[in-house]
């Protein structure tokens, strides 16, 4: 009984930590790269700033919901192609932005006075991703 409670607490901690890491990466992606302000500038749609913010929030909430909800729908091949293309565009933009996002960590450690720990910080992130992936594949994928 105690072991089950401790395992649940560990899973909550791991899930919460992963959520914070993903959320921080998403915020860094948007703020450092200036995706939304640049999009607004290029499209000359400054009057729709609130709509852009709402679209980002609704998209994140819908994505989180559909990731965990046991929903299954039957879609046409054209809808699946569009959905896949949108996912590919997002993942491509995210992959291209990773080098820019990694520049955030040295700047952050310099500003908070932890420059000598930047390598430990990066190693902790890397090991966390590795162990998290291994945990998922070993524990959830059989």
């Amino acid at each position: 009984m105690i072991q089950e409670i401790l395992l649940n607490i560990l899973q909550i901690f791991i899930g919460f930590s992963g959520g914070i890491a993903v959320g921080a990466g998403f915020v860094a992606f948007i703020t450092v790269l200036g995706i939304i302000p640049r999009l607004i500038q290029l499209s000359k749609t400054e009057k729709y700033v609130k709509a852009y913010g709402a679209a980002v929030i609704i998209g994140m909430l819908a994505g989180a919901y559909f990731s965990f909800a046991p929903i299954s729908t039957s879609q046409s091949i054209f809808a699946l192609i569009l959905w896949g293309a949108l996912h590919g565009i997002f993942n491509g933009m995210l992959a291209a932005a990773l080098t820019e996002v990694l520049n955030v960590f040295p700047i952050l450690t310099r500003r908070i006075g932890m420059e000598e720990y930047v390598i430990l910080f990066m190693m902790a992130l890397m090991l966390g991703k590795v162990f998290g992936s291994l945990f998922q594949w070993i524990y959830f994928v059989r």
Side-chain angles (χ1 to χ4, degrees):
M1 179 69 174
I2 298 288
Q3 288 178 339
E4 188 175 318
I5 293 172
L6 290 176
L7 182 62
N8 287 339
I9 290 172
L10 178 65
Q11 288 175 343
I12 290 169
F13 177 74
I14 290 171
F16 187 70
S17 300
I20 288 176
V22 170
F26 185 74
V27 168
F29 174 70
I30 288 176
T31 57
V32 170
L33 296 178
I35 297 295
I36 294 176
R38 184 73 176 139
L39 181 63
I40 292 170
Q41 181 185 19
L42 289 174
S43 62
K44 295 179 177 59
T45 55
E46 291 84 10
K47 60 184 175 184
Y48 298 114
V49 170
K50 289 184 181 180
Y52 281 101
V56 169
I57 292 170
I58 291 169
M60 287 176 48
L61 291 174
Y65 176 75
F66 288 125
S67 292
F68 293 107
I71 295 173
S72 177
T73 60
S74 178
Q75 300 294 324
S76 70
I77 189 72
F78 298 110
L80 292 175
I81 290 171
L82 177 64
W83 189 254
L86 292 174
H87 276 271
I89 290 168
F90 175 77
N91 288 329
M93 288 175 56
L94 190 61
L98 282 177
T99 55
E100 296 290 332
V101 172
L102 288 178
N103 289 334
V104 169
F105 300 127
I107 294 168
L108 176 68
T109 56
R110 206 172 313 127
R111 287 191 179 169
I112 62 175
M114 296 181 65
E115 291 179 71
E116 62 269 9
Y117 300 111
V118 70
I119 293 177
L120 290 174
F121 184 62
M122 298 295 281
M123 290 298 290
L125 287 172
M126 188 256 331
L127 290 173
K129 293 295 283 178
V130 168
F131 288 128
S133 296
L134 286 173
F135 177 77
Q136 178 183 358
W137 280 98
I138 292 169
Y139 189 73
F140 291 113
V141 178
R142 298 181 195 263

